[in-house]
């Protein structure tokens, strides 16, 4: 089941203009939380960061303080109406962190895109003009393997796969890895796995440690050294439209994501 990983190798690529998709079709694994907090931590470390919210639920947008109801141009208009992507970029509470918000309309985008030419590469063409304006572009994918997620993976240089430290953690990962393999073969030969990130980890639980050992056994050096521990501040912060580092910089969650950001930067050197 894991043999498809053999085509992937540890990454050592340039930092500038790196597009990273955060994907896992299993919901509730900390994907959006990771997008928000990794982006904020990278920006705090003086990197220019853009978050692209490619999930119709728009949680990454609201979690970074964007008022969707007052937003005229979102990723939806960029994909479907060929809107100017720069008109969609909004500021966050951190100067070097920008956001392209999502909208519930994105739910219907996949159907609208079906008959569009080069439908799998639309997001790539939208983001291409921005690539060298940012150090990192993080795409928060929806919990599905539909056309928008395919677009995200086709546009990306690499993918971070959050894995929840619970019993069914590895359920469905083979399907995601197979999708990545197909996209790498047919649409985006440069796509690599940046890493598997263990989230919602509680070291006191034997099961969590077993899951960590299992993930490490299967994916070896592709597993981030940093693990994201269970932390209530990570859950509270989005309701205030803030990443954890602005909500409570001393919280365990904020510190974990800062460590992840440093590890990601180090990997790129």
């Amino acid at each position: 089941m894991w043999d498809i990983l053999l085509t992937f190798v540890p990454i050592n690529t340039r930092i500038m203009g790196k597009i990273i998709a955060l994907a896992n079709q299993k919901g509730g694994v900390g994907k959006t939380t990771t997008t928000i907090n990794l982006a904020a931590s990278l920006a705090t470390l003086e990197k220019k960061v853009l978050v692209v919210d490619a999930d119709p639920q728009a949680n990454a947008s609201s979690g970074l303080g964007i008022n969707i109801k007052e937003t005229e141009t979102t990723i939806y208009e960029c994909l479907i109406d060929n809107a100017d992507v720069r008109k969609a970029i909004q500021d966050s509470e951190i100067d070097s962190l920008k956001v392209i918000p999502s909208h519930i309309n994105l739910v219907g985008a996949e159907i609208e895109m079906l008959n569009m030419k080069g439908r799998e590469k639309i997001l790539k063409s939208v983001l291409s003009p921005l690539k060298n304006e940012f150090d990192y572009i993080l795409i928060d994918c929806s919990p599905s393997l539909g056309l928008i997620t395919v677009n995200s993976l086709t546009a990306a240089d690499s993918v971070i796969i959050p894995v929840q430290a619970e019993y069914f953690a590895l359920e469905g990962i083979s399907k995601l890895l197979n999708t990545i393999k197909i996209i790498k073969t047919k649409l985006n030969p440069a796509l690599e796995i940046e890493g598997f990130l263990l989230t919602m980890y509680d070291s006191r639980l034997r099961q969590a440690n077993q899951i960590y050992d299992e993930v490490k056994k299967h994916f070896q050096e592709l597993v981030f050294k940093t693990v994201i521990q269970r932390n209530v501040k990570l859950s509270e912060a989005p309701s205030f439209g803030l990443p954890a580092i602005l909500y409570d910089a001393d919280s365990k969650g904020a510190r974990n994501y800062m460590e992840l950001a440093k590890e990601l930067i180090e990997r790129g050197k």
Side-chain angles (χ1 to χ4, degrees):
M1 154 174 162
W2 310 110
D3 59 342
I4 53 178
L5 273 174
L6 296 176
T7 57
F8 297 102
V9 294
I11 307 163
N12 185 20
T13 56
R14 67 192 182 96
I15 295 176
M16 288 299 292
K18 190 165 196 178
I19 301 179
I20 303 175
L22 289 97
N24 191 330
Q25 80 275 18
K26 189 174 186 297
V29 298
K31 181 176 49 58
T32 298
T33 298
T34 296
T35 303
I36 291 171
N37 291 290
L38 175 57
S41 297
L42 288 167
T44 302
L45 293 170
E46 300 184 338
K47 301 298 180 184
K48 293 181 179 178
V49 186
L50 174 66
V51 167
V52 179
D53 192 349
D55 185 343
Q57 296 178 83
N59 290 334
S61 305
S62 59
L64 287 169
I66 306 299
N67 188 337
I68 304 301
K69 294 178 180 178
E70 295 180 0
T71 300
E72 293 183 9
T73 307
T74 69
I75 194 63
Y76 172 82
E77 284 76 23
C78 296
L79 293 172
I80 304 302
D81 301 327
N82 198 29
D84 182 352
V85 67
R86 285 182 174 81
K87 291 183 178 178
I89 297 174
Q90 296 200 30
D91 295 331
S92 75
E93 292 289 328
I94 302 174
D95 287 344
S96 58
L97 173 56
K98 309 296 181 184
V99 186
I100 296 180
S102 184
H103 192 276
I104 191 63
N105 287 347
L106 203 60
V107 169
E110 299 199 354
I111 296 173
E112 296 178 75
M113 292 167 70
L114 282 177
N115 295 320
M116 295 173 74
K117 186 178 179 181
R119 62 190 183 190
E120 296 91 355
K121 298 184 178 181
I122 298 171
L123 182 57
K124 183 174 183 176
S125 65
V126 168
L127 297 181
S128 289
L130 303 175
K131 191 166 183 183
N132 288 322
E133 296 178 21
F134 294 91
D135 297 311
Y136 294 95
I137 297 176
L138 304 185
I139 307 174
D140 185 31
C141 300
S142 63
S144 75
L145 293 178
L147 188 53
I148 299 295
T149 297
V150 169
N151 263 263
S152 300
L153 294 172
T154 302
D157 297 306
S158 64
V159 54
I160 290 175
I161 303 172
V163 179
Q164 188 175 1
E166 292 192 354
Y167 183 68
F168 293 111
L170 301 180
E171 187 181 74
I173 281 186
S174 58
K175 189 180 293 184
L176 173 61
L177 294 177
N178 191 53
T179 299
I180 291 170
K181 183 182 179 184
I182 293 169
I183 288 170
K184 187 175 172 71
T185 303
K186 298 186 175 181
L187 295 167
N188 184 7
L191 181 65
E192 301 289 356
I193 293 179
E194 189 74 47
F196 292 83
L197 175 68
L198 207 68
T199 62
M200 305 180 194
Y201 179 75
D202 187 339
S203 59
R204 297 170 299 178
L205 301 178
R206 185 170 63 177
Q207 186 183 81
N209 290 298
Q210 289 173 340
I211 294 297
Y212 178 80
D213 290 342
E214 189 174 356
V215 171
K216 192 72 178 172
K217 174 184 168 186
H218 284 307
F219 305 120
Q220 300 175 18
E221 73 278 358
L222 287 173
V223 181
F224 282 102
K225 294 184 181 70
T226 304
V227 297
I228 308 302
Q229 296 166 284
R230 281 198 177 276
N231 180 234
V232 67
K233 300 295 183 181
L234 289 175
S235 303
E236 292 175 356
S239 64
F240 294 90
L242 295 171
I245 199 165
L246 294 185
Y247 180 66
D248 185 349
D250 292 325
S251 66
K252 191 179 295 181
R255 293 199 306 269
N256 287 165
Y257 278 110
M258 183 59 73
E259 287 303 312
L260 177 64
K262 291 174 181 176
E263 184 177 351
L264 182 63
I265 291 169
E266 191 61 33
R267 281 185 174 209
K269 289 181 178 177

